[in-house]
Coordinates of all heavy atoms in Angstrom, one line a residue:
I317 N -23.7 -0.8 -15.3 CA -25.2 -0.6 -15.4 C -25.5 -0.6 -16.9 O -26.7 -0.9 -17.2 CB -25.6 0.7 -14.7 CG1 -25.3 0.6 -13.2 CG2 -27.1 1.1 -15.0 CD1 -26.2 -0.3 -12.5
G318 N -24.6 -0.1 -17.8 CA -24.9 -0.1 -19.2 C -24.7 1.2 -19.9 O -25.2 1.5 -21.0
K319 N -23.9 2.1 -19.2 CA -23.6 3.4 -19.8 C -22.1 3.4 -20.2 O -21.3 3.3 -19.4 CB -23.7 4.5 -18.7 CG -25.2 4.9 -18.5 CD -25.4 6.3 -19.1 CE -26.8 6.5 -19.4 NZ -27.0 7.3 -20.6
P320 N -21.9 3.5 -21.5 CA -20.5 3.5 -22.0 C -19.9 4.8 -21.6 O -20.0 5.8 -22.4 CB -20.6 3.3 -23.5 CG -22.0 3.3 -23.8 CD -22.9 3.7 -22.6
A321 N -19.1 4.9 -20.5 CA -18.5 6.1 -20.0 C -17.0 5.9 -20.0 O -16.5 4.9 -19.6 CB -19.0 6.4 -18.6
V322 N -16.3 7.0 -20.6 CA -14.8 7.1 -20.5 C -14.4 8.4 -20.0 O -15.1 9.4 -20.3 CB -14.2 6.8 -21.9 CG1 -14.3 5.3 -22.3 CG2 -14.7 7.7 -23.0
K323 N -13.2 8.4 -19.3 CA -12.7 9.7 -18.9 C -11.4 9.9 -19.6 O -10.5 9.1 -19.6 CB -12.4 9.6 -17.4 CG -11.9 10.9 -16.8 CD -12.1 10.9 -15.2 CE -11.3 12.0 -14.7 NZ -9.8 11.8 -14.8
I324 N -11.3 11.1 -20.3 CA -10.2 11.5 -21.0 C -9.7 12.8 -20.4 O -10.4 13.8 -20.5 CB -10.4 11.6 -22.5 CG1 -10.9 10.4 -23.1 CG2 -9.1 12.1 -23.3 CD1 -11.8 10.5 -24.3
G325 N -8.6 12.8 -19.7 CA -8.1 14.0 -18.9 C -9.2 14.3 -17.8 O -9.5 13.3 -17.1
N326 N -9.7 15.5 -17.8 CA -10.8 15.8 -16.9 C -12.1 15.8 -17.4 O -13.1 16.5 -16.9 CB -10.4 17.1 -16.2 CG -9.2 17.0 -15.3 OD1 -8.1 17.5 -15.5 ND2 -9.4 16.3 -14.2
T327 N -12.3 15.2 -18.6 CA -13.6 15.2 -19.3 C -14.1 13.7 -19.3 O -13.4 12.8 -19.7 CB -13.5 15.7 -20.7 OG1 -13.0 17.1 -20.7 CG2 -14.9 15.7 -21.4
V328 N -15.4 13.6 -18.9 CA -16.1 12.3 -19.0 C -17.0 12.3 -20.2 O -17.9 13.2 -20.2 CB -16.8 11.9 -17.7 CG1 -17.5 10.5 -17.8 CG2 -15.7 11.8 -16.5
K329 N -16.9 11.4 -21.1 CA -17.8 11.2 -22.2 C -18.7 10.0 -22.0 O -18.1 8.9 -21.8 CB -17.1 11.1 -23.5 CG -16.3 12.4 -23.9 CD -15.7 12.3 -25.2 CE -15.2 13.7 -25.6 NZ -14.2 13.7 -26.7
I330 N -19.9 10.2 -22.1 CA -20.9 9.1 -21.9 C -21.7 9.0 -23.2 O -22.4 9.9 -23.6 CB -21.8 9.4 -20.7 CG1 -20.9 9.6 -19.4 CG2 -22.7 8.2 -20.4 CD1 -21.6 10.1 -18.2
D331 N -21.6 7.9 -23.7 CA -22.2 7.6 -25.1 C -23.7 7.3 -25.0 O -24.2 7.1 -23.9 CB -21.5 6.4 -25.7 CG -21.2 6.7 -27.2 OD1 -21.9 7.6 -27.8 OD2 -20.3 6.0 -27.8
K332 N -24.4 7.3 -26.1 CA -25.8 7.0 -26.0 C -25.9 5.5 -25.6 O -25.0 4.7 -25.8 CB -26.5 7.2 -27.4 CG -26.0 6.4 -28.5 CD -26.9 6.9 -29.7 CE -26.7 6.2 -30.9 NZ -25.5 5.6 -31.4
S333 N -27.0 5.2 -25.0 CA -27.2 3.9 -24.4 C -28.6 3.5 -24.4 O -29.5 4.4 -24.7 CB -26.7 3.9 -23.0 OG -27.3 5.0 -22.3
E334 N -28.9 2.2 -24.3 CA -30.3 1.7 -24.4 C -30.8 0.9 -23.3 O -31.9 0.9 -22.8 CB -30.4 0.9 -25.7 CG -30.5 1.8 -26.9 CD -30.2 1.0 -28.2 OE1 -30.1 -0.3 -28.1 OE2 -30.1 1.6 -29.3
K335 N -29.9 0.0 -22.9 CA -30.3 -1.1 -22.0 C -29.5 -1.0 -20.7 O -28.3 -0.9 -20.6 CB -30.1 -2.5 -22.6 CG -31.3 -3.2 -23.0 CD -31.0 -4.5 -23.6 CE -31.6 -5.6 -22.7 NZ -31.3 -7.0 -23.2
Y336 N -30.2 -1.2 -19.6 CA -29.5 -1.0 -18.3 C -29.8 -2.2 -17.3 O -30.9 -2.8 -17.3 CB -30.0 0.3 -17.6 CG -29.9 1.5 -18.4 CD1 -31.0 2.1 -19.0 CD2 -28.7 2.0 -18.8 CE1 -31.0 3.3 -19.8 CE2 -28.6 3.1 -19.6 CZ -29.8 3.7 -20.1 OH -29.6 4.8 -21.0
K337 N -28.8 -2.5 -16.5 CA -29.0 -3.4 -15.4 C -29.7 -2.6 -14.3 O -29.6 -1.4 -14.1 CB -27.7 -3.9 -14.9 CG -27.0 -4.9 -15.8 CD -26.0 -5.7 -15.0 CE -25.1 -6.6 -15.9 NZ -24.1 -5.8 -16.7
H338 N -30.4 -3.3 -13.4 CA -31.0 -2.6 -12.3 C -30.5 -3.1 -10.9 O -31.2 -3.0 -9.9 CB -32.6 -2.7 -12.3 CG -33.0 -4.1 -12.4 ND1 -33.3 -4.8 -11.3 CD2 -33.4 -4.9 -13.5 CE1 -33.7 -6.0 -11.6 NE2 -33.7 -6.0 -13.0
I339 N -29.3 -3.6 -10.9 CA -28.7 -4.1 -9.7 C -27.4 -3.4 -9.4 O -26.5 -3.3 -10.2 CB -28.5 -5.7 -9.7 CG1 -29.9 -6.3 -9.8 CG2 -27.7 -6.2 -8.5 CD1 -29.9 -7.8 -9.5
A340 N -27.2 -2.9 -8.2 CA -25.9 -2.4 -7.8 C -25.3 -3.3 -6.7 O -25.8 -3.4 -5.6 CB -26.1 -1.0 -7.2
P341 N -24.3 -4.1 -7.1 CA -23.8 -5.1 -6.2 C -22.9 -4.6 -5.1 O -22.4 -3.5 -5.2 CB -23.0 -6.1 -7.1 CG -22.7 -5.3 -8.3 CD -23.6 -4.2 -8.4
Y342 N -22.7 -5.4 -4.1 CA -22.0 -5.0 -2.9 C -20.6 -4.6 -3.2 O -20.1 -3.7 -2.7 CB -21.9 -6.2 -1.9 CG -21.1 -5.9 -0.6 CD1 -21.6 -4.9 0.2 CD2 -20.0 -6.6 -0.3 CE1 -20.9 -4.6 1.4 CE2 -19.3 -6.4 0.9 CZ -19.7 -5.4 1.7 OH -19.0 -5.1 2.9
D343 N -20.0 -5.2 -4.2 CA -18.6 -5.0 -4.6 C -18.3 -3.5 -5.1 O -17.3 -2.9 -4.8 CB -18.1 -5.9 -5.7 CG -17.3 -7.0 -5.2 OD1 -17.1 -7.1 -3.9 OD2 -16.8 -7.8 -6.0
L344 N -19.4 -3.0 -5.7 CA -19.3 -1.5 -6.1 C -19.8 -0.6 -5.0 O -19.1 0.4 -4.8 CB -20.2 -1.3 -7.4 CG -19.6 -1.9 -8.6 CD1 -20.6 -1.9 -9.8 CD2 -18.3 -1.1 -9.1
V345 N -20.8 -0.9 -4.3 CA -21.4 -0.1 -3.3 C -20.4 0.1 -2.1 O -20.2 1.1 -1.5 CB -22.7 -0.5 -2.8 CG1 -23.3 0.4 -1.7 CG2 -23.7 -0.5 -3.9
R346 N -19.7 -1.0 -1.7 CA -18.9 -1.0 -0.5 C -17.7 0.0 -0.8 O -17.1 0.5 0.2 CB -18.4 -2.3 -0.1 CG -17.3 -2.9 -1.0 CD -16.8 -4.3 -0.5 NE -16.0 -4.9 -1.6 CZ -14.7 -4.5 -1.7 NH1 -14.1 -3.8 -0.9 NH2 -14.0 -5.1 -2.8
K347 N -17.3 0.2 -2.0 CA -16.2 1.1 -2.3 C -16.5 2.5 -2.1 O -15.6 3.4 -1.9 CB -15.7 0.9 -3.7 CG -14.9 -0.4 -4.0 CD -14.3 -0.3 -5.4 CE -13.7 -1.6 -5.8 NZ -13.6 -1.8 -7.2
M348 N -17.8 2.9 -2.2 CA -18.1 4.3 -2.2 C -19.6 4.4 -1.8 O -20.5 3.9 -2.4 CB -17.9 4.8 -3.7 CG -18.0 6.3 -3.7 SD -18.0 6.8 -5.4 CE -19.5 6.2 -6.1
R349 N -19.8 5.2 -0.7 CA -21.2 5.3 -0.2 C -22.1 6.0 -1.2 O -23.3 5.7 -1.2 CB -21.2 5.9 1.2 CG -20.6 5.2 2.3 CD -20.8 6.0 3.6 NE -22.2 6.4 3.6 CZ -23.2 5.7 4.1 NH1 -22.9 4.4 4.6 NH2 -24.4 6.1 4.1
A350 N -21.5 6.9 -2.0 CA -22.3 7.7 -2.9 C -23.0 6.8 -3.9 O -23.9 7.3 -4.7 CB -21.5 8.8 -3.6
S351 N -22.6 5.6 -4.0 CA -23.2 4.6 -4.9 C -24.7 4.5 -4.7 O -25.5 4.2 -5.7 CB -22.7 3.2 -4.8 OG -21.2 3.2 -4.9
V352 N -25.2 4.9 -3.5 CA -26.7 4.8 -3.3 C -27.4 5.8 -4.2 O -28.6 5.7 -4.4 CB -27.1 5.1 -1.8 CG1 -26.5 4.0 -0.9 CG2 -26.7 6.4 -1.4
L353 N -26.6 6.8 -4.9 CA -27.3 7.7 -5.7 C -27.7 7.1 -7.1 O -28.3 7.7 -7.9 CB -26.3 8.9 -6.1 CG -26.0 9.8 -4.9 CD1 -24.9 10.8 -5.3 CD2 -27.2 10.4 -4.3
I354 N -27.4 5.8 -7.2 CA -27.9 5.1 -8.4 C -29.4 4.9 -8.3 O -30.2 4.6 -9.2 CB -27.2 3.7 -8.5 CG1 -27.2 3.2 -9.9 CG2 -27.7 2.7 -7.5 CD1 -26.0 3.5 -10.6
M355 N -29.9 4.9 -7.0 CA -31.3 4.6 -6.7 C -32.3 5.5 -7.4 O -33.3 5.1 -8.1 CB -31.6 4.5 -5.3 CG -31.0 3.4 -4.5 SD -31.2 3.6 -2.7 CE -32.6 2.6 -2.6
G356 N -32.1 6.8 -7.2 CA -33.0 7.8 -7.8 C -33.2 7.6 -9.3 O -34.3 7.4 -9.7
P357 N -32.1 7.7 -10.1 CA -32.3 7.6 -11.5 C -32.8 6.3 -12.0 O -33.6 6.3 -12.9 CB -30.9 7.9 -12.1 CG -30.0 8.1 -11.0 CD -30.7 8.1 -9.7
L358 N -32.4 5.2 -11.4 CA -32.9 3.9 -11.9 C -34.3 3.6 -11.6 O -35.1 3.0 -12.3 CB -31.9 2.8 -11.4 CG -30.6 2.7 -12.2 CD1 -29.8 1.5 -11.9 CD2 -30.6 2.9 -13.7
L359 N -34.7 4.2 -10.4 CA -36.1 4.0 -10.0 C -37.0 4.8 -10.9 O -38.0 4.4 -11.3 CB -36.2 4.6 -8.5 CG -37.6 4.3 -7.8 CD1 -37.9 2.7 -7.9 CD2 -37.5 4.8 -6.4
A360 N -36.5 6.0 -11.3 CA -37.2 6.8 -12.2 C -37.3 6.2 -13.6 O -38.4 6.2 -14.3 CB -36.6 8.2 -12.3
R361 N -36.3 5.6 -14.1 CA -36.2 5.2 -15.5 C -36.7 3.7 -15.6 O -37.3 3.3 -16.6 CB -34.8 5.2 -16.1 CG -34.3 6.6 -16.0 CD -33.9 7.2 -17.3 NE -34.5 6.8 -18.5 CZ -33.8 6.6 -19.6 NH1 -32.5 6.8 -19.6 NH2 -34.4 6.2 -20.7
L362 N -36.3 2.8 -14.7 CA -36.6 1.4 -14.8 C -37.7 0.9 -14.0 O -38.1 -0.2 -14.1 CB -35.4 0.5 -14.5 CG -34.0 0.9 -15.2 CD1 -32.9 -0.1 -14.7 CD2 -34.1 0.8 -16.7
R363 N -38.1 1.8 -13.1 CA -39.1 1.5 -12.1 C -38.7 0.4 -11.1 O -39.6 0.1 -10.2 CB -40.4 1.1 -12.8 CG -41.0 2.2 -13.6 CD -42.4 2.0 -14.2 NE -42.9 3.1 -14.8 CZ -44.1 3.2 -15.2 NH1 -44.9 2.1 -15.1 NH2 -44.6 4.3 -15.8
K364 N -37.5 0.0 -11.1 CA -37.1 -0.9 -10.1 C -35.5 -0.9 -10.0 O -34.8 -0.7 -11.0 CB -37.6 -2.4 -10.2 CG -37.1 -3.0 -11.4 CD -37.5 -4.5 -11.4 CE -36.9 -5.3 -12.6 NZ -37.3 -6.6 -12.6
V365 N -35.0 -1.0 -8.8 CA -33.6 -1.1 -8.6 C -33.3 -1.8 -7.3 O -34.0 -1.6 -6.3 CB -33.0 0.4 -8.6 CG1 -33.7 1.3 -7.7 CG2 -31.5 0.4 -8.3
S366 N -32.2 -2.6 -7.3 CA -31.8 -3.3 -6.1 C -30.4 -2.9 -5.8 O -29.5 -3.0 -6.6 CB -31.9 -4.7 -6.3 OG -33.2 -5.2 -6.5
V367 N -30.2 -2.3 -4.6 CA -28.9 -1.7 -4.2 C -28.4 -2.4 -3.0 O -29.2 -2.5 -2.0 CB -29.0 -0.2 -4.0 CG1 -27.6 0.3 -3.6 CG2 -29.4 0.5 -5.2
S368 N -27.2 -2.9 -3.0 CA -26.6 -3.5 -1.8 C -26.6 -2.4 -0.7 O -26.2 -1.2 -1.0 CB -25.2 -4.0 -2.1 OG -24.6 -4.3 -0.9
L369 N -27.0 -2.7 0.5 CA -27.1 -1.6 1.5 C -25.6 -1.2 1.9 O -24.8 -2.1 2.2 CB -27.7 -2.2 2.8 CG -29.1 -1.8 3.1 CD1 -29.6 -2.5 4.4 CD2 -29.4 -0.3 3.2
P370 N -25.3 0.1 1.9 CA -24.0 0.4 2.3 C -23.8 0.3 3.8 O -24.8 0.5 4.5 CB -23.9 2.0 1.9 CG -25.3 2.4 1.9 CD -26.2 1.3 1.6
G371 N -22.6 -0.1 4.2 CA -22.5 -0.3 5.6 C -22.1 1.0 6.3 O -22.2 2.1 5.6
G372 N -21.7 1.0 7.6 CA -21.3 2.2 8.2 C -19.9 2.5 7.7 O -19.4 1.8 6.8
C373 N -19.3 3.6 8.2 CA -17.9 3.8 7.8 C -17.2 4.4 9.0 O -17.8 4.6 10.1 CB -17.8 4.6 6.6 SG -18.4 6.3 6.8
A374 N -15.9 4.9 8.8 CA -15.1 5.4 10.0 C -15.8 6.6 10.6 O -15.6 6.9 11.8 CB -13.8 5.7 9.5
I375 N -16.6 7.3 9.9 CA -17.2 8.5 10.5 C -18.7 8.3 11.1 O -19.3 9.2 11.5 CB -17.1 9.7 9.6 CG1 -18.0 9.6 8.3 CG2 -15.7 10.1 9.3 CD1 -18.0 10.8 7.5
G376 N -19.1 7.1 11.1 CA -20.5 6.9 11.7 C -21.3 5.8 11.0 O -20.9 5.3 10.0
A377 N -22.5 5.6 11.5 CA -23.4 4.5 10.9 C -23.9 5.0 9.6 O -24.0 4.1 8.6 CB -24.5 4.3 11.9
R378 N -24.2 6.2 9.3 CA -24.6 6.7 8.1 C -25.8 6.0 7.4 O -25.6 5.4 6.4 CB -23.5 7.0 7.1 CG -22.4 7.8 7.7 CD -21.3 8.0 6.7 NE -21.6 9.0 5.7 CZ -20.7 9.4 4.8 NH1 -19.5 8.9 4.8 NH2 -21.0 10.4 3.9
P379 N -27.0 5.9 8.1 CA -28.1 5.3 7.6 C -28.6 6.0 6.3 O -28.3 7.1 6.0 CB -29.2 5.4 8.6 CG -28.8 6.6 9.5 CD -27.3 6.7 9.3
I380 N -29.6 5.4 5.5 CA -30.2 6.0 4.3 C -31.7 6.1 4.5 O -32.4 6.1 3.5 CB -29.8 5.3 3.0 CG1 -30.0 3.9 3.0 CG2 -28.3 5.5 2.7 CD1 -30.0 3.2 1.6
D381 N -32.1 6.1 5.7 CA -33.6 6.1 6.0 C -34.3 7.3 5.4 O -35.5 7.3 4.9 CB -33.9 6.1 7.5 CG -33.2 7.2 8.2 OD1 -32.0 7.4 8.1 OD2 -33.9 8.0 9.0
I382 N -33.6 8.5 5.3 CA -34.3 9.7 4.8 C -34.4 9.5 3.3 O -35.6 9.8 2.8 CB -33.4 11.0 5.1 CG1 -33.2 11.1 6.6 CG2 -34.1 12.2 4.5 CD1 -32.3 12.2 6.9
H383 N -33.5 8.9 2.6 CA -33.7 8.6 1.1 C -34.9 7.6 1.0 O -35.8 7.9 0.2 CB -32.5 7.8 0.6 CG -31.1 8.4 0.8 ND1 -30.2 8.6 -0.2 CD2 -30.5 8.9 1.9 CE1 -29.1 9.2 0.2 NE2 -29.3 9.3 1.4
L384 N -34.9 6.6 1.8 CA -35.9 5.5 1.6 C -37.3 6.1 1.9 O -38.3 5.8 1.1 CB -35.6 4.3 2.4 CG -34.3 3.6 2.0 CD1 -34.1 2.3 2.8 CD2 -34.1 3.3 0.5
D385 N -37.5 6.8 3.0 CA -38.8 7.3 3.4 C -39.3 8.3 2.2 O -40.4 8.3 2.0 CB -38.7 8.2 4.7 CG -38.5 7.3 5.9 OD1 -38.7 6.0 5.7 OD2 -38.2 7.8 7.0
A386 N -38.4 9.0 1.6 CA -38.8 9.9 0.6 C -39.2 9.2 -0.7 O -40.2 9.6 -1.4 CB -37.7 10.9 0.3
F387 N -38.5 8.1 -1.0 CA -38.9 7.3 -2.2 C -40.2 6.7 -2.0 O -41.1 6.7 -2.9 CB -37.9 6.2 -2.4 CG -36.6 6.6 -3.0 CD1 -35.4 6.0 -2.5 CD2 -36.6 7.5 -4.0 CE1 -34.2 6.4 -3.1 CE2 -35.3 7.9 -4.6 CZ -34.1 7.3 -4.1
K388 N -40.6 6.3 -0.7 CA -41.9 5.8 -0.4 C -42.9 6.9 -0.7 O -44.1 6.6 -1.2 CB -42.0 5.4 1.0 CG -41.3 4.1 1.4 CD -41.6 3.7 2.8 CE -40.7 2.6 3.3 NZ -40.5 2.6 4.7
K389 N -42.6 8.2 -0.4 CA -43.6 9.3 -0.5 C -43.8 9.5 -2.1 O -44.9 10.0 -2.4 CB -43.1 10.5 0.1 CG -43.2 10.6 1.6 CD -44.1 11.7 1.9 CE -44.5 11.7 3.3 NZ -45.4 12.8 3.6
L390 N -42.9 9.1 -2.9 CA -43.1 9.2 -4.3 C -43.8 8.0 -4.9 O -43.9 7.9 -6.1 CB -41.7 9.4 -5.0 CG -40.9 10.7 -4.7 CD1 -39.5 10.6 -5.4 CD2 -41.7 11.9 -5.1
G391 N -44.1 7.1 -4.0 CA -44.9 5.9 -4.5 C -44.2 4.7 -4.7 O -44.6 3.7 -5.3
A392 N -42.9 4.6 -4.2 CA -42.1 3.4 -4.3 C -42.4 2.4 -3.2 O -42.7 2.8 -2.1 CB -40.7 3.8 -4.4
D393 N -42.3 1.1 -3.5 CA -42.3 0.1 -2.5 C -40.9 -0.3 -2.2 O -40.0 -0.4 -3.1 CB -43.0 -1.2 -3.0 CG -44.4 -0.9 -3.2 OD1 -45.1 -0.2 -2.4 OD2 -45.0 -1.4 -4.2
I394 N -40.7 -0.4 -0.9 CA -39.2 -0.7 -0.4 C -39.2 -2.0 0.4 O -40.0 -2.2 1.3 CB -38.7 0.5 0.3 CG1 -38.7 1.6 -0.6 CG2 -37.2 0.2 0.9 CD1 -37.9 2.8 -0.5
E395 N -38.2 -2.9 0.1 CA -38.1 -4.0 0.9 C -36.6 -4.3 1.1 O -35.8 -4.1 0.2 CB -38.7 -5.2 0.1 CG -38.8 -6.4 1.0 CD -39.3 -7.7 0.1 OE1 -39.1 -7.6 -1.1 OE2 -39.7 -8.7 0.8

Side-chain angles (χ1 to χ4, degrees):
I317 296 290
K319 279 257 159 216
V322 288
K323 182 164 166 294
I324 303 156
N326 290 110
T327 300
V328 176
K329 289 189 175 164
I330 304 168
D331 222 341
K332 64 178 184 332
S333 48
E334 284 163 9
K335 250 182 117 182
Y336 309 108
K337 288 197 186 76
H338 56 83
I339 292 191
Y342 181 61
D343 260 3
L344 285 169
V345 178
R346 77 179 167 82
K347 281 193 188 153
M348 189 184 71
R349 291 188 49 85
S351 305
V352 297
L353 295 177
I354 204 97
M355 293 175 93
L358 289 191
L359 189 55
R361 301 240 25 225
L362 310 180
R363 297 190 171 185
K364 64 173 182 178
V365 52
S366 297
V367 177
S368 170
L369 260 179
C373 66
I375 63 176
R378 302 182 81 176
I380 54 164
D381 57 307
I382 302 174
H383 305 231
L384 299 185
D385 288 348
F387 285 138
K388 280 186 201 160
K389 284 243 171 184
L390 294 177
D393 291 321
I394 302 210
E395 195 187 14

